[in-house]
Amino acid sequence: QVQLVESGGGSVQAGGSLRLSCAVSGVSYSGFCMGWFRQVPGKERGGVARISADGTTTYADSVKGRFVISKDSAKNTLYLQMNALKPGDTAMYYCAAAGFKSCRYAPWPTDFAYWGQGTQVTVSS
């Protein structure tokens, strides 16, 4: 059974940093497209960053240059380093895994089959 467990969320002031982690079990995630998404109440879940099996990364325009997605194959863990945080980054953050090696085939949240429970990130001004 595939399980994804996020951690690392919390409250931080604008300009600060946080690193989110996503521990994956039940599958060797390194062979799949993995992604981070975020959602605020009343809005649709949106993509933040994706990483394909070959390490290719993509980012939402709103986080380019501030966030970095990475993975540690030895630990089967996905990360999201978030720097220069803004109040607009406040959201519940989710990690997810798609059944494709390349994220080119997973442009939408509905393309991701497995999801974690989420971790809250709150950025105050």
Side-chain angles (χ1 to χ4, degrees):
Q1 183 177 357
V2 178
Q3 284 191 317
L4 288 74
V5 180
E6 302 97 335
S7 61
S11 297
V12 64
Q13 289 191 328
S17 298
L18 284 173
R19 188 176 79 157
L20 305 183
S21 299
C22 175
V24 183
S25 61
V27 68
S28 176
Y29 81 100
S30 61
F32 296 96
C33 164
M34 299 288 297
W36 286 98
F37 297 80
R38 65 187 181 186
Q39 188 172 23
V40 296
K43 292 190 176 181
E44 293 185 353
R45 191 170 299 186
V48 176
R50 291 172 169 83
I51 184 166
S52 295
D54 66 358
T56 302
T57 58
T58 58
Y59 296 91
D61 288 342
S62 59
V63 306
K64 281 181 181 177
R66 300 188 298 123
F67 291 12
V68 178
I69 187 171
S70 63
K71 56 185 179 179
D72 185 329
S73 298
K75 295 182 178 180
N76 224 25
T77 301
L78 181 73
Y79 300 101
L80 184 68
Q81 177 66 44
M82 305 186 295
N83 302 318
L85 283 160
K86 304 174 181 180
D89 295 318
T90 295
M92 184 71 79
Y93 283 72
Y94 300 89
C95 69
F100 309 101
K101 288 188 175 181
S102 172
C103 293
R104 291 181 299 172
Y105 303 110
W108 306 108
T110 51
D111 296 318
F112 288 75
Y114 304 101
W115 292 84
Q117 82 290 348
T119 186
Q120 177 69 36
V121 171
T122 302
V123 184
S124 59
S125 58

